[in-house]
Amino acid sequence: MECLWCGEEIIMEISWQNVFWPEKPSRLCTVCKQNLNFIAGNRCAKCSRSTEEKICADCRRWEKQLGVDVLEWNYSLFSYNAFMKEYMAKWKYRGDYHLGFAFQDAIRQVYKEQFSFLKKDAVVVPIPLSKERLHERKFNQAKMLAEFFPLPVKEILGRKHGEKQAKKSRRERIFSQNPFFITETLNKPVILVDDIYTTGTTLRHAAFLLKEHGYSRVFAFTLIRG
């Protein structure tokens, strides 16, 4: 098997353990995996930012602004670095769909460790693209990530077309109008899925709408904590 990123052949080391319990081959080679910056150590319990504080200053501001935060918490796998920036550009903006499969096994492990307490009652809801943006990119990277969870995926949110989030300042993101609308209501817990957590505004806009329409608890998974 070749590495999804660099094309080098992936060589599995043979030991007595994986003879009897074969491991699933990684989709990235050892060198490329080492370039991914997994979030380790202390993190904010609400947003996964690396910090010594239990709740970071940003999340304390959200709680002050909202009174009661509509988002239970977000769990992220990686922090943003130069390698991930290049990886995301090729996957998300240049349409190399297959690159997303590199995260499949890690997301399934995250489900077991962080979300399995929800049992099979929860649904996974990807953050949507507008119809115009979906036509431009050909696929929704959040939906691809959502489909790696062993839970039903429900595309119950739609999105109005507008300026790309990446082009907005932090202040513009935080005070932007809610771009989402809802197409279906279910009284179930939700795991929102997106590729990156930057200010938390996108997830909270979606969570607010879901809570308003009867969804009991809203959690989030994002691949990257910006």
Side-chain angles (χ1 to χ4, degrees):
M1 183 183 292
E2 293 182 347
C3 174
L4 286 173
W5 180 251
C6 70
E8 290 291 321
E9 184 181 359
I10 298 172
I11 300 172
M12 289 280 292
E13 291 187 7
I14 303 298
S15 70
W16 67 269
Q17 287 182 315
N18 59 31
V19 166
F20 294 101
W21 296 282
E23 295 179 3
K24 192 172 181 179
S26 172
R27 306 302 296 272
L28 295 176
C29 69
T30 301
V31 173
C32 289
K33 281 196 295 186
Q34 287 173 347
N35 285 322
L36 291 170
N37 192 10
F38 281 88
I39 299 173
N42 294 328
R43 63 170 72 200
C44 172
K46 289 283 291 185
C47 74
S48 282
R49 166 180 279 181
S50 293
T51 178
E52 294 299 319
E53 299 178 290
K54 185 176 180 181
I55 305 293
C56 73
D58 279 354
C59 290
R60 292 199 301 271
R61 279 195 290 270
W62 275 117
E63 289 182 350
K64 184 177 180 180
Q65 181 178 328
L66 298 174
V68 177
D69 199 341
V70 290
L71 190 67
E72 300 274 342
W73 42 261
N74 164 74
Y75 190 88
S76 301
L77 264 176
F78 306 105
S79 58
Y80 213 33
N81 61 7
F83 177 81
M84 183 59 86
K85 183 178 181 179
E86 189 178 355
Y87 199 101
M88 292 296 290
K90 192 173 181 182
W91 175 46
K92 180 176 175 178
Y93 299 116
R94 297 203 288 274
D96 279 7
Y97 180 83
H98 70 287
L99 290 176
F101 287 108
F103 310 117
Q104 183 173 14
D105 293 338
I107 289 173
R108 287 177 177 170
Q109 190 61 34
V110 165
Y111 168 75
K112 290 179 185 177
E113 294 176 1
Q114 305 297 330
F115 295 103
S116 59
F117 69 93
L118 294 170
K119 309 298 182 187
K120 297 295 181 181
D121 298 328
V123 294
V124 184
V125 176
I127 293 294
L129 299 175
S130 66
K131 289 180 180 178
E132 293 85 352
R133 198 76 71 217
L134 184 60
H135 178 75
E136 175 188 317
R137 295 187 188 167
K138 308 305 180 190
F139 75 98
N140 179 1
Q141 73 284 350
K143 183 185 176 186
M144 186 178 188
L145 297 174
E147 289 172 342
F148 296 150
F149 280 82
L151 292 171
V153 175
K154 294 282 189 179
E155 294 184 84
I156 57 176
L157 293 176
R159 188 174 197 151
K160 305 162 193 171
H161 190 57
E163 186 180 17
K164 292 179 180 179
Q165 288 292 304
K167 292 186 176 181
K168 293 180 180 178
S169 69
R170 179 182 177 83
R171 181 176 178 81
E172 285 172 335
R173 291 184 191 192
I174 290 173
F175 292 101
S176 60
Q177 290 188 331
N178 197 328
F180 301 116
F181 57 89
I182 196 163
T183 60
E184 184 181 349
T185 57
L186 296 167
N187 185 18
K188 287 181 175 290
V190 168
I191 303 171
L192 284 169
V193 175
D194 205 2
D195 56 345
I196 186 166
Y197 182 117
T198 306
T199 64
T201 305
T202 297
L203 292 173
R204 284 177 174 85
H205 275 157
F208 179 84
L209 197 59
L210 291 167
K211 296 276 282 189
E212 193 176 43
H213 286 81
Y215 289 84
S216 54
R217 303 177 75 190
V218 183
F219 303 85
F221 167 80
T222 48
L223 188 67
I224 304 158
R225 180 59 173 90

